[in-house]
Amino acid sequence: MNRLFCANVLAFILLFFCVQFIVSADEPAADEKSDLEILQTAYPDAFEIIPNGIRFPDGTLIIYNDGITKDFDALLEMPDLRDMLSLPYPSGEQHGPPPLNFDPGRFRPDAFFRALYGKDETAIRSHLGRVQWMPSQNGQWLLVTTRFGVDKKLEEVIAELETLGAEYRQYLLPAGGTFNYRPIAQTSRLSAHSFGIAIDIAVAPSHYWQWEAGGAAVYKNTIPYVIVEIFERHGFIWGGRWYHFDTMHFEYRPELLLKARLRQD
């Protein structure tokens, strides 16, 4: 009788812990839950949160954490969602160069952006709209995605830039371009320009790390912070905050800015 009782108690304990393990395995860790909720806020109605990832309406699954330890090159080549949000995007005016390999926003999971903006060039082009850059100065017309209102966000940026004094026009005109379905220079990875979410402002006063002698990332910048602040307020991050700097470059990445604001609160 005692043996039977003990066996039943042991079986109950084992069952309890098995159930607890199964339940906890389905529940995301705090960091995962927070990151995925940030993504869902940044891109409303785009996908649903599932254990260790997200699922788009067409069935596309994107993993949050693939469990692979990566060096910097691997983070660029095969990031997951956790990697994408791992570097905290800075706030406020920048003083001094970014730390080594500090490139918040450059870890872009290709499948995630294809699911958001289009699986190929044809699909991406079907969502493009036209926006005039600095219309008071007869700026050129640019192609920008209409997904998640990115075109409207850029128009809001332009409206604020138009209020700046004439001394700022040298940094803005002519714009370097927006949509361009192409890989990043010297890589096989698609540029953010391929998805219609990026804009390069005036090229002449800008600096890009690969233009430096020997590709040395010796930080340089002349873009005034007031321009950066306007873009960031509307959901665009700045390539001038990267160790591998690209000071003409802005791209729509509201998730990074949202996470930065939540970190400050």
Side-chain angles (χ1 to χ4, degrees):
M1 190 72 172
N2 288 339
R3 287 182 180 178
L4 180 60
F5 175 77
C6 290
N8 287 337
V9 170
L10 180 60
F12 175 80
I13 292 172
L14 289 173
L15 178 62
F16 174 80
F17 280 105
C18 285
V19 169
Q20 289 296 104
F21 175 79
I22 292 170
V23 170
S24 63
D26 286 339
E27 292 179 351
D31 288 347
E32 175 185 340
K33 183 178 180 182
S34 175
D35 280 352
L36 295 181
E37 288 175 344
I38 285 169
L39 286 175
Q40 200 168 53
T41 301
Y43 304 100
D45 304 319
F47 49 77
E48 64 174 323
I49 296 174
I50 60 173
N52 195 30
I54 57 178
R55 178 167 52 216
F56 285 82
D58 66 357
T60 298
L61 302 176
I62 311 292
I63 293 175
Y64 172 74
N65 183 4
D66 58 21
I68 301 173
T69 301
K70 302 161 191 166
D71 61 16
F72 180 74
D73 289 337
L75 286 167
L76 290 172
E77 292 295 333
M78 53 178 196
D80 55 28
L81 295 177
R82 181 174 180 270
D83 299 328
M84 181 177 74
L85 291 165
S86 61
L87 295 179
Y89 189 81
S91 60
E93 189 165 1
Q94 185 162 306
H95 302 285
L100 176 66
N101 291 340
F102 182 79
D103 293 350
R106 288 188 72 215
F107 306 152
R108 305 182 190 94
D110 184 75
F112 176 67
F113 289 92
R114 288 183 185 274
L116 288 176
Y117 298 108
K119 63 181 180 179
D120 54 29
E121 183 175 359
T122 300
I124 293 168
R125 282 185 176 277
S126 71
H127 298 298
L128 296 180
R130 296 173 74 240
V131 172
Q132 187 175 17
W133 181 246
M134 305 296 289
S136 70
Q137 304 302 311
N138 296 313
Q140 69 264 51
W141 286 88
L142 304 171
L143 292 175
V144 183
T145 187
T146 59
R147 295 279 290 150
F148 308 104
V150 176
D151 58 330
K152 302 302 181 186
K153 296 288 186 181
L154 184 57
E155 286 178 343
E156 292 172 0
V157 168
I158 294 168
E160 289 198 43
L161 293 175
E162 291 264 48
T163 68
L164 299 180
E167 67 271 23
Y168 292 98
R169 292 174 190 163
Q170 62 179 310
Y171 304 105
L172 302 170
L173 294 165
T178 49
F179 173 73
N180 186 359
Y181 195 85
R182 62 169 175 78
I184 299 169
Q186 301 181 25
T187 80
S188 59
R189 303 190 308 275
L190 279 182
S191 163
H193 289 277
S194 300
F195 300 104
I197 61 173
I199 179 171
D200 290 341
I201 56 176
V203 176
S206 300
H207 296 88
Y208 179 46
W209 73 279
Q210 291 206 50
W211 293 344
E212 302 304 310
V218 180
Y219 188 80
K220 296 178 181 178
N221 174 55
T222 59
I223 305 301
Y225 176 66
V226 63
I227 293 174
V228 174
E229 191 274 333
I230 289 172
F231 271 98
E232 289 180 341
R233 189 149 26 83
H234 294 282
F236 293 81
I237 64 169
W238 178 44
R241 294 201 187 271
W242 299 339
Y243 174 80
H244 296 90
F245 53 92
D246 187 354
T247 67
M248 75 191 84
H249 180 86
F250 294 87
E251 66 183 80
Y252 186 71
R253 299 292 300 282
E255 71 279 11
L256 294 172
L257 293 159
L258 177 58
K259 185 168 183 177
R261 286 197 299 272
L262 292 174
R263 191 175 66 247
Q264 293 172 348
D265 291 345

